[in-house]
Amino acid sequence: MHVLVTGGAGFIGSNFIFHMLNKYPNYRIVCLDLLTYAGNLSTLKSVMNKENFRFVKGDIADREFIFNLFNKEKFDVVVNFAAESHVDRSILNPGLFLRTNIIGTQVLLDVCKEYNVARFHQVSTDEVYGDLPLDRPDLFFTEDTPINTSSPYSASKASADLLVQAYHRTFKLPVTISRCSNNYGPYHFPEKLIPLIISRALNDEALPVYGTGENVRDWLYVEDHCTAIDEIIHNGKIGEVYNVGGHNEKTNLEVVKTILKELEKPESLISFVNDRVGHDMRYAIDPTKIKNELNWEPTTKFDDGIKQTVKWYLDNKSWWERIINGDYQNYYQEMYGDR
Ligand code: NAD
Ligand code: TYD
């Protein structure tokens, strides 16, 4: 099988590439990534020289480039992780999110249609459902929960999902969509809550908690997300949406305090700051469908996953320190500069 992974130099895409190369040594994997601020080629260092892996730098929204790539290589499966992914940045610059997340997805849908790709899988988010109230712990997102977005990020992801479904209905494109809760684990860019708190706490810097810290997220260890996508692309039903996550709900304050305990750092580092505008209160996934249809369940409990994650950040300081000091952006030049 020949798989194109877009956005594979980012957090989840890179973990997915490691998962796939490890589990399916006979598959050929191509990673396409624009290497925006969130893409880090050094993350892929350990697989760069594998014969069945290739990295291509490019933009999913660049139609000519994408059609040229597909003209040269035949892909059986396309898994689209490429996106602008940070809610706070979408509040500052919504336009970029529309271009990458919507137009980029449309270009990929068009090229998959043109070249009869056997499966297009869209990696989406539970944020397309909006949020749930804190005083209704009985409510969860199912695949039938109406789309009801809050941020330019979630609106762009929802728009992309609707396009994916439209291409299935109108053009019979063989698609699947996964909507996942918040991921955490190795190679998470240190602007997102968990790696931000770990890296700042290690440097004894103030830890910004938005509002009162009561917002709830349903945390999923990244490897569990990768196994879910693996299941969906191999056994998921064409045209279906699968929610991925479940029952690892924590308030932001609980998450921050757990990390501080793990690092033996004082809670006095916590600094309550102005709330994010439009801040979603609670995300919580009902994973019944993926459990019943594909027998997938998360295997890592938050208490274990957060310990592993903290350990990874302690053992891989150079990875995130290079991000914080900006050096990681020179890595492409080092790798490919004179080729
Ligand atoms: P990330 O920001 O770490 O990585 C995104 C990657 O996409 C980067 O490597 C970046 O260089 C690349 N990229 C951006 N624009 C591009 C373009 N125009 N062309 C090609 N590549 C481009 O994001 P992530 O956290 O790994 O998320 C991956 C996907 O999963 C996204 O689609 C996101 O919406 C979705 N998702 C993320 C989470 C989460 O908790 N992180 C949860 C649910 C869904
Ligand atoms: P984030 O990691 O940005 O993911 P998302 O917004 O997609 O859920 O944020 C997770 C939660 O942590 C969210 O409720 C916002 C909050 N948060 C903070 O309190 N402080 C921070 O510095 C960041 C980045 C997020």
Side-chain angles (χ1 to χ4, degrees):
M1 186 136 93
H2 197 167
V3 184
L4 177 68
V5 177
T6 69
F11 165 44
I12 309 173
S14 60
N15 278 283
F16 182 71
I17 288 171
F18 301 145
H19 169 88
M20 294 296 282
L21 286 171
N22 194 30
K23 185 159 167 201
Y24 305 104
N26 296 330
Y27 285 16
R28 184 170 152 66
I29 310 274
V30 174
C31 169
L32 168 77
D33 197 295
L34 185 58
L35 298 180
T36 67
Y37 81 93
N40 186 349
L41 197 58
S42 76
T43 300
L44 297 171
K45 207 170 174 174
S46 64
V47 296
M48 218 48 138
N49 290 327
K50 278 189 175 283
E51 271 184 16
N52 57 340
F53 176 77
R54 185 162 93 87
F55 176 81
V56 180
K57 185 172 189 280
D59 181 353
I60 58 164
D62 181 341
R63 182 169 286 271
E64 197 183 333
F65 173 85
I66 294 294
F67 272 76
N68 273 335
L69 176 68
F70 277 67
N71 196 24
K72 287 193 208 110
E73 293 206 39
K74 161 131 184 59
F75 298 109
D76 305 301
V77 176
V78 173
V79 184
N80 182 26
F81 291 91
E84 288 293 334
S85 68
H86 191 39
V87 172
D88 292 331
R89 287 180 187 255
S90 81
I91 296 167
L92 295 174
N93 182 4
L96 178 59
F97 282 68
L98 270 53
R99 181 186 180 277
T100 299
N101 299 0
I102 307 175
I103 302 300
T105 301
Q106 188 223 343
V107 169
L108 292 175
L109 291 166
D110 279 340
V111 80
C112 288
K113 174 162 123 357
E114 178 75 21
Y115 287 89
N116 295 316
V117 168
R119 178 70 67 90
F120 175 84
H121 181 74
Q122 175 73 355
V123 181
S124 185
T125 166
D126 61 358
E127 299 191 29
V128 301
Y129 300 122
D131 64 351
L132 298 164
L134 287 185
D135 60 358
R136 290 293 307 274
D138 55 314
L139 295 181
F140 296 91
F141 297 136
T142 73
E143 289 77 1
D144 297 325
T145 301
I147 300 277
N148 181 25
T149 56
S150 313
S151 69
Y153 163 67
S154 55
S156 69
K157 293 295 290 185
S159 306
D161 283 12
L162 294 176
L163 273 174
V164 173
Q165 289 175 316
Y167 273 64
H168 173 61
R169 168 92 186 237
T170 306
F171 304 115
K172 307 274 175 292
L173 193 71
V175 305
T176 38
I177 297 175
S178 51
R179 293 184 179 144
C180 189
S181 56
N182 285 60
N183 284 215
Y184 67 104
Y187 301 108
H188 203 180
F189 197 84
E191 68 179 352
K192 305 284 171 63
L193 181 71
I194 288 181
L196 180 106
I197 296 299
I198 298 173
S199 56
R200 289 184 69 88
L202 282 170
N203 288 332
D204 297 308
E205 291 169 326
L207 309 177
V209 172
Y210 298 165
T212 58
E214 287 169 312
N215 306 65
V216 170
R217 297 293 183 263
D218 182 359
W219 292 97
L220 183 74
Y221 195 63
V222 63
E223 176 63 19
D224 279 329
H225 189 184
C226 296
T227 61
I229 296 173
D230 175 355
E231 262 318 310
I232 295 168
I233 61 176
H234 287 97
N235 303 311
K237 274 195 219 143
I238 300 285
E240 293 289 311
V241 174
Y242 293 92
N243 283 357
V244 180
H247 310 309
N248 274 301
E249 285 177 57
K250 301 280 168 208
T251 67
N252 292 340
L253 210 47
E254 281 173 320
V255 169
V256 173
K257 286 184 178 176
T258 305
I259 293 170
L260 286 172
K261 203 163 161 210
E262 206 51 45
L263 292 173
E264 297 179 358
K265 294 284 183 181
E267 290 186 6
S268 56
L269 287 175
I270 294 173
S271 164
F272 291 97
V273 298
N274 284 346
D275 210 352
R276 170 186 283 170
V277 282
H279 198 171
D280 281 337
M281 272 329 291
R282 170 175 169 248
Y283 302 144
I285 290 263
D286 175 351
T288 307
K289 178 175 175 178
I290 191 166
K291 162 83 179 117
N292 288 350
E293 283 190 20
L294 302 177
N295 202 22
W296 176 91
E297 273 184 300
T299 58
T300 304
K301 291 259 169 293
F302 184 78
D303 289 349
D304 300 325
I306 196 70
K307 281 195 173 72
Q308 291 170 38
T309 303
V310 166
K311 183 173 180 332
W312 189 88
Y313 279 82
L314 284 169
D315 293 345
N316 292 276
K317 269 190 175 173
S318 64
W319 181 84
W320 55 267
E321 280 173 349
R322 274 169 65 89
I323 291 178
I324 288 168
N325 72 25
D327 264 3
Y328 75 110
Q329 282 171 327
N330 301 328
Y331 191 82
Y332 183 82
Q333 191 57 27
E334 283 167 31
M335 277 294 291
Y336 291 105
D338 52 0
R339 290 202 213 167

